[in-house]
Amino acid sequence: MDHPNQQKNGDGNIIIWGYPQIKFMPEEIYLPQFGLFVSGFSSSPFGVEWMRFEENSPIDRLIQTVPHLAFEVVDLDYELSAHDLKVITEPNSPSEGIIVAMIEHNGAPIELIEFKEILQ
């Protein structure tokens, strides 16, 4: 599934750059279950997602402090079970039609994203 304003690598996987920061950004969306404000995902021509965390956010500290890449996967459950990955955020749905999990790979946070078809 193609999504506007997201970069693709040679394998067709969408690459998003998640960047933690402390300043308010225009058009932030608040995700209360994560104590997180996000912006830029749908408007950045470079696939940058700005992330601002509340002090008591339950999100892993590594994600709050280190920028991460995100890759689209066809089957998130398969990827997590087929590889020996250190999961730091269990699969969850931050918004309709999207399932994500965060892993740590060689000390870096990586987001795996599965886009589900949304029936109209």
Side-chain angles (χ1 to χ4, degrees):
M1 174 185 289
D2 288 334
H3 297 278
N5 304 316
Q6 297 172 348
Q7 308 301 308
K8 292 194 175 207
N9 69 13
D11 294 329
N13 295 329
I14 294 174
I15 300 175
I16 300 165
W17 178 257
Y19 189 79
Q21 45 85 45
I22 58 172
K23 67 179 185 174
F24 172 83
M25 297 295 287
E27 301 180 19
E28 287 184 334
I29 298 170
Y30 180 55
L31 302 174
Q33 69 273 33
F34 303 113
L36 169 66
F37 297 85
V38 295
S39 64
F41 179 75
S42 62
S43 62
S44 171
F46 307 106
V48 176
E49 177 182 54
W50 303 100
M51 305 167 66
R52 182 168 61 91
F53 297 90
E54 293 182 319
E55 189 174 314
N56 61 348
S57 172
I59 299 294
D60 189 278
R61 191 79 181 133
L62 183 65
I63 299 164
Q64 292 186 44
T65 57
V66 177
H68 71 272
L69 293 176
F71 297 92
E72 181 180 14
V73 296
V74 173
D75 184 337
L76 182 59
D77 290 333
Y78 170 80
E79 296 297 333
L80 294 176
S81 65
H83 306 285
D84 185 24
L85 302 173
K86 180 179 179 184
V87 177
I88 57 176
T89 301
E90 293 294 328
N92 64 82
S93 182
S95 59
E96 185 179 6
I98 299 174
I99 301 174
V100 302
M102 295 291 290
I103 62 168
E104 180 182 336
H105 180 66
N106 293 331
I110 305 289
E111 183 175 14
L112 302 177
I113 303 175
E114 178 181 341
F115 292 99
K116 298 283 191 181
E117 292 292 328
I118 300 174
L119 301 176
Q120 299 288 330

